[in-house]
Each structure stands twice: as C-alpha cells, then as structure tokens.
Amino acid sequence: TGSHIRFAAQLQLAKQFYNRHGVLTTRQFNQVDWLSVYTTLHGLPRLFRVWACKQVMNIAPTNQNLARRDGRCATCPSCGMHAETTEHVLTCPEEGRVKAFLAAVDTLEEWLESVDTDPVLQYCIVEYLRGRRAVSMMDIARETYAPRLARLGQSQDEIGWTRFLEGMVSKELLRLQTSYIAKRRRPVLTAHRWIVGLITRLLEIAHGQWI
C-alpha cells in the first residue's frame, strides 16, 4: 500500500541521515525495531516528539551547545565534571540525578511486571538500564542461562545503551515477548501494545532526566 511504500522510503532516508550525522551506523540502524518506534512516536504529543528529535541529534539547549553561541561554560551544572551534552544528561553521575534515574527504572519494572512481561526479558531490560552503560546486554543475558536471549544481547549492544533509552530498541524484544505471550492463555497486552508501552516509558525516563 501507499503507506507502506512511504514508510520504506522514509526509512532509507533516515538510515542515510543517521549514518551521515554519526547517530547510528548502518549496522546499528538495521537492528532497531523502527516500525514500533514509528508507531510509538506518532502516538505521542508533538512537542514531546520535538524533544526526542533534539535529544537524539544532540541539538537540545545543553551547556555545550549554548557555549558555542554565547561562550558560556560548557560544563554540566549538576556534576561539574563533564561537558553537558544530551548523552551526558542521561548518564550524569551526580547523586540526585542517579537516584531519580533509578527510581524511574523501578517504576518501569513495576509496569513490566503488571503487563506480564517475560520474566527473564524483564530482568534483562531492568538490569541493563540500571547498569548505566557499565554492563552489556550480552553479559546480563548470559547470567540468565537462556540461550534464546543471545540474539538480544548481540543486537541491543550493537545499538547501544544511550540509544536504547532514547527508544531505539532491538527487534529481538518484540520477538521474545511475542513468543512468551503465545503460551499465555490471557495475555494482558498484545506484544505490539507492549513494545509501544515500553518505548514510551523509556523515552519518559530519558525526558525525566532533563527535569
């Protein structure tokens, strides 16, 4: 159909654009569940989508970006140690920021459990986030002794932790949750509604780090 053709064309343009601007390599781009990302974003308020774009492209009003305009100090006002970029906003080591982030992850964990997420998959998602780039998805997957998670580990590690928090999730997440709920008599959510809910909440956690 026309909508599918437009989506495919836009996807190719996005792949070239992200690669050219250093956001994602072609290999990374191909691992992302873009249909779910697209569906999620189009269900969110316009201003939230604008923020998400600025976050990913590192063009939000961080001190580093503002310093280029007016010469102000580029250092993060919270930790006082690193240049404030959009990526740093998500990983700032200042104690209050870390506590707020971990509290948001706790809330996500409660939601994942409430919608009957595959327990092993839930563990991987939550521990990956709590690791704050210090632990790989592959290492967490190995801890579960579940071979079915190996592809998730490889795929999400290819994409990266920061992009994960920005909603760029591996296609493997949807595949794993679909397989899990196929064995449930009364799933709480369809796999597609589940992945949209997950991406939405990841973006909300990222956005919360700006407040």
Side-chain angles (χ1 to χ4, degrees):
T1 65
S3 60
H4 288 91
I5 294 172
R6 284 193 298 273
F7 177 76
Q10 291 167 356
L11 205 60
Q12 290 304 310
L13 290 173
K15 182 188 296 186
Q16 296 168 12
F17 180 84
Y18 278 179
N19 186 51
R20 185 166 63 250
H21 290 274
V23 176
L24 291 170
T25 66
T26 298
R27 278 176 57 89
Q28 291 172 316
F29 190 95
N30 290 338
Q31 297 296 324
V32 177
D33 182 358
W34 287 112
L35 182 57
S36 295
V37 173
Y38 176 87
T39 301
T40 302
L41 289 174
H42 280 260
L44 296 174
R46 178 181 173 277
L47 288 179
F48 193 91
R49 299 200 304 268
V50 170
W51 163 80
C53 176
K54 290 182 176 181
Q55 167 67 37
V56 170
M57 297 305 301
N58 190 29
I59 57 174
T62 60
N63 275 354
Q64 185 182 71
N65 286 332
L66 294 173
R68 297 190 182 104
R69 304 177 193 173
D70 56 24
R72 73 178 66 191
C73 177
T75 304
C76 171
S78 296
C79 70
M81 296 187 295
H82 306 284
E84 187 188 44
T85 62
T86 56
E87 181 173 12
H88 176 77
V89 169
L90 305 185
T91 59
C92 179
E94 191 273 326
E95 182 179 3
R97 302 282 288 275
V98 174
K99 285 183 177 179
F101 176 82
L102 294 178
V105 175
D106 288 343
T107 300
L108 172 64
E109 183 177 27
E110 293 173 1
W111 177 80
L112 288 168
E113 187 168 355
S114 73
V115 295
D116 194 22
T117 302
D118 178 336
V120 181
L121 182 57
Q122 175 179 317
Y123 174 81
C124 288
I125 292 169
V126 172
E127 291 306 306
Y128 186 57
L129 288 169
R130 286 176 177 153
R132 289 169 56 84
R133 295 197 304 185
V135 61
S136 70
M137 182 68 87
M138 180 59 80
D139 285 342
I140 298 168
R142 287 195 185 105
E143 290 177 8
T144 68
Y145 297 100
R148 62 193 174 87
L149 294 174
R151 285 165 58 185
L152 170 64
Q154 295 170 349
S155 178
Q156 194 60 61
D157 285 342
E158 181 84 42
I159 299 165
W161 186 91
T162 300
R163 299 308 181 204
F164 180 72
L165 192 55
E166 293 168 344
M168 299 182 203
V169 301
S170 166
K171 298 172 185 176
E172 292 300 309
L173 285 167
L174 180 59
R175 182 185 68 80
L176 289 164
Q177 182 65 5
T178 298
S179 177
Y180 173 75
I181 66 171
K183 304 167 188 174
R184 311 293 284 178
R185 293 187 64 183
R186 294 182 179 179
V188 177
L189 292 178
T190 65
H192 289 282
R193 288 184 62 192
W194 175 86
I195 197 70
V196 167
L198 173 61
I199 295 171
T200 299
R201 284 160 178 81
L202 289 171
L203 286 166
E204 287 174 346
I205 292 174
H207 186 260
Q209 291 301 103
W210 283 86
I211 299 173

